[in-house]
Amino acid sequence: MKTRNTILLPRAQKPISVLGENIKLARLRRKFSAEQVAERANISRPTLVSIEKGNPNVTIGAYVKVLSVLGLENDIMEVANDDKLGRRLQDAKLIVRERAPRIFKNATLQSNSQVSKIAINGPKVRLLKKTDGSKK
């Protein structure tokens, strides 16, 4: 099977490498061998080595399994827990784009006496109002 090669920017790769190193240090502090952790996490030993090296191609599920074996599964709940930027944006009450009203393609002209015709231009549909001929 062909493997993917994920290329990350250094600022994105560094946290993954630090996480892998912290997992390795936690494993060593508990005096577990790589084989023991891999077996208990139901992953292969090379996958564990990839996690400890900070390989971005390893699934997050494998990281969670290893953290669970080490008794650190609650640490994953701290990710993005204190979203300072998001809270500042929320507090600033920035205008959030709302969805446009839903337009039905099968609109009937008989149901609305104000509509004279339907203008269809690609994916956009506009209902054109009738005019009585007088200018106001």
Side-chain angles (χ1 to χ4, degrees), residues 44-56:
S44 66
R45 190 171 170 279
T47 301
L48 179 62
V49 170
S50 294
I51 288 172
E52 291 178 349
K53 287 183 178 180
N55 186 341

Side-chain angles (χ1 to χ4, degrees), residues 23-62:
I23 288 173
K24 183 175 184 174
L25 291 173
R27 175 180 65 82
L28 294 175
R29 276 188 225 108
R30 287 161 178 74
K31 298 184 177 168
F32 289 153
S33 69
E35 192 67 38
Q36 288 173 321
V37 173
E39 184 179 332
R40 291 178 185 178
N42 198 24
I43 59 173
S44 66
R45 190 171 170 279
T47 301
L48 179 62
V49 170
S50 294
I51 288 172
E52 291 178 349
K53 287 183 178 180
N55 186 341
N57 293 329
V58 180
T59 66
I60 193 159

Side-chain angles (χ1 to χ4, degrees), residues 3-20:
T3 60
R4 297 179 298 179
N5 188 11
T6 304
I7 299 171
L8 293 178
L9 294 174
R11 71 175 190 208
Q13 178 62 47
K14 186 175 179 181
I16 297 173
S17 298
V18 170
L19 175 63

